[in-house]
Amino acid sequence: MNLDTMLAHLGEESHDRGAVTAPIFQTSLFVQPSLDALAERFNDQFAESDFYVYSRVGNPNLTIVQKKITALERTESCLVFNSGMSAVTAGILSSVRAGDHVVAVDTIYGPSRAFIRDYLPRIGVSHTFIYGADPLEFEAACQPNTKLFVLESPSSLLFQMQDLAAVAGIAKSRGITTMIDNTYSSGILQRPVEFGIDIIVHSATKYFAGHSDLVAGSLCCTAERARDIMANEGQFLGALLPPFPAWLLMRGLRTLRLRVDEAQRQGAWLFQYLQNRPEVEQIFHAGDPNHPQADLVQKQMTGSVGFMSFTLRDVDEHAIRRFGNALELFQIGVSWGGHESLMVVVPMHPMHWEKPNWVVRLYIGLEDPEDLAADLDRAFEALRG
Ligand SMILES: *Cc1c(COP(=O)(O)O)cnc(C)c1O
């Protein structure tokens, strides 16, 4: 079966009475036909199966989305959590013990970075942050106790990349686990497992769900690792997705390909618009043919989406505020991946910049480009005061 067919149907074959859409299994508990059946299912509850015991560890609505996301990422297994952060923290915690060391890219998602920096020391896990554009930085940061590399490529503020195959190769030779946040690429534009990455996490809140109406996360890996994570972080932290948001996520996944295709067109349009604005100093966009890592985009990805950021020439805080407040169609908000266009301004000082700067991030939704252009024109006018 090809991907579009799988996103439309996979996991939904067994529902009876002719319902074309799977029902919502809004139940906490699954009762068993006999005590023997309960004992057998209890033994096997962390493996993928069509039998269920209790919704904290499994529910048919979860299975449906797990099968679709497994197909998307071409891994053996997938676990679906109640947020992207639950998937990120489960992936990290499953890979380290007290005394271990983590190497992470400096520009990963803020709360993931804060978890590594502020929380892991509490359980005796140390870390090193690196810029990550050169795979040799990973090698140089390794210590004898390094157990995990954390990547995000492209990242979601400055759209920086890592060479997945090279980094996975370094990790494999040292017995280190690799984990990537692949939210930007939505599984459609980049499949990290094909480059040897072990754990692939998504904020399913973004493109997977696609309509800004739920929070969820996914973690893809081998069946063996998924079973281990389910038996530990999955059941102990109680962070799996409940049935109703899982059902909404199923609905989002059905149109994922169509929305990502449209996002590619919208992104190309927005990039061209920004390139023509004299006020724009530098654009950060994975689809920029002059991106310093354009070769990696060629090698690892099949496209880019309508999610990019830029810096402005000669601006102070007041001008930035006028710009943001003049926008009407682009709403002010931190998330992305839904139907609505969004903007946010972030003061940034990543380790490879000499000085801090304001970064304007735009996410382009499904509105008409003409209306969005008029909105941006207004904001650029307001810059001048
Ligand atoms: C939103 C986001 C997350 C966190 O996901 P939640 O669903 O909000 O917990 C992680 N990584 C990236 C790149 C994100 O954009």
Side-chain angles (χ1 to χ4, degrees):
M1 232 191 273
N2 289 310
L3 181 62
D4 288 328
T5 314
M6 292 195 280
L7 288 177
H9 297 297
L10 191 66
E12 300 176 59
E13 303 85 358
S14 62
H15 303 297
D16 61 6
R17 291 184 236 182
V20 74
T21 287
I24 306 171
F25 291 84
Q26 192 67 38
T27 181
S28 60
L29 176 67
F30 297 84
V31 291
Q32 310 300 329
S34 68
L35 284 172
D36 290 341
L38 176 62
E40 192 182 314
R41 286 166 196 185
F42 210 76
N43 271 339
D44 217 25
Q45 64 178 328
F46 303 123
E48 274 173 78
S49 79
D50 286 331
F51 298 110
Y52 302 93
V53 174
Y54 188 56
S55 283
R56 196 186 71 236
V57 292
N59 177 290
N61 291 114
L62 268 187
T63 304
I64 292 169
V65 288
Q66 286 171 345
K67 283 187 177 167
K68 288 189 200 293
I69 299 171
T70 301
L72 194 57
E73 283 291 6
R74 299 192 188 162
T75 49
E76 287 174 14
S77 283
C78 171
L79 299 173
V80 171
F81 292 87
N82 61 16
S83 71
M85 277 311 292
S86 295
V88 167
T89 53
I92 293 173
L93 290 172
S94 71
S95 307
V96 294
R97 306 281 180 277
D100 289 348
H101 172 255
V102 173
V103 176
V105 173
D106 179 48
T107 49
I108 57 173
Y109 180 66
S112 305
R113 189 182 193 282
F115 178 74
I116 293 168
R117 186 192 60 202
D118 302 333
Y119 194 96
L120 287 187
R122 289 211 224 168
I123 56 168
V125 174
S126 60
H127 62 270
T128 304
F129 289 118
I130 58 169
Y131 176 39
D134 182 346
L136 295 179
E137 289 172 67
F138 286 86
E139 193 144 46
C142 276
Q143 298 177 6
N145 55 341
T146 304
K147 290 287 152 56
L148 177 67
F149 288 167
V150 179
L151 296 80
E152 185 183 331
S153 178
S155 63
S156 49
L157 265 169
L158 294 177
F159 307 95
Q160 278 162 8
M161 281 155 260
Q162 296 97 50
D163 185 330
L164 305 189
V167 174
I170 292 166
K172 286 227 157 59
S173 70
R174 294 168 176 260
I176 295 169
T177 303
T178 45
M179 176 174 121
I180 188 172
D181 185 330
N182 198 34
T183 306
Y184 176 97
S185 298
S186 73
I188 298 274
L189 303 177
Q190 170 173 278
R191 295 199 182 81
V193 75
E194 290 169 0
F195 301 99
I197 301 291
D198 300 311
I199 300 177
I200 298 142
V201 293
H202 284 267
S203 169
T205 312
K206 312 296 163 53
Y207 275 129
F208 280 6
H211 298 77
S212 302
D213 52 11
L214 69 101
V215 173
S218 65
L219 185 158
C220 292
C221 58
T222 61
E224 189 186 349
R225 190 187 295 273
R227 197 184 169 117
D228 178 67
I229 294 177
M230 195 49 235
N232 290 286
E233 291 75 21
Q235 72 150 333
F236 296 145
L237 303 182
L240 260 51
L241 191 65
F244 181 53
W247 184 87
L248 284 175
L249 179 55
M250 167 190 78
R251 197 173 62 150
L253 287 168
R254 291 201 216 283
T255 57
L256 176 67
R257 155 88 76 188
L258 296 175
R259 289 182 286 105
V260 171
D261 281 354
E262 180 61 15
Q264 298 200 59
R265 276 189 290 279
Q266 295 275 62
W269 168 85
L270 180 61
F271 179 61
Q272 195 180 19
Y273 175 93
L274 292 174
Q275 274 190 313
N276 290 331
R277 293 291 330 190
E279 302 90 337
V280 170
E281 185 180 57
Q282 191 180 358
I283 307 173
F284 307 99
H285 172 43
D288 178 357
N290 295 316
H291 191 293
Q293 296 170 298
D295 57 327
L296 281 184
V297 180
Q298 278 292 326
K299 190 170 130 193
Q300 297 173 178
M301 299 172 67
T302 56
S304 60
V305 292
F307 191 37
M308 63 195 73
S309 61
F310 58 91
T311 55
L312 289 158
R313 276 183 228 286
D314 312 318
V315 287
D316 58 15
E317 207 175 327
H318 301 290
I320 288 271
R321 208 163 272 150
R322 284 198 302 275
F323 179 88
N325 291 338
L327 289 167
E328 287 170 13
L329 204 44
F330 280 90
Q331 300 174 87
I332 297 169
V334 292
S335 191
W336 57 281
H339 56 286
E340 77 287 16
S341 291
L342 294 166
M343 80 81 75
V344 73
V345 177
V346 191
M348 290 202 68
H349 194 182
M351 55 167 57
H352 62 291
W353 285 8
E354 270 167 33
K355 54 184 176 62
N357 202 352
W358 298 97
V359 174
V360 182
R361 187 179 77 180
L362 296 179
Y363 166 73
I364 183 165
L366 298 172
E367 300 94 338
D368 189 283
E370 222 172 86
D371 297 335
L372 291 168
D375 201 33
L376 288 169
D377 287 346
R378 215 171 16 246
F380 279 109
E381 288 306 314
L383 255 189
R384 291 190 205 120

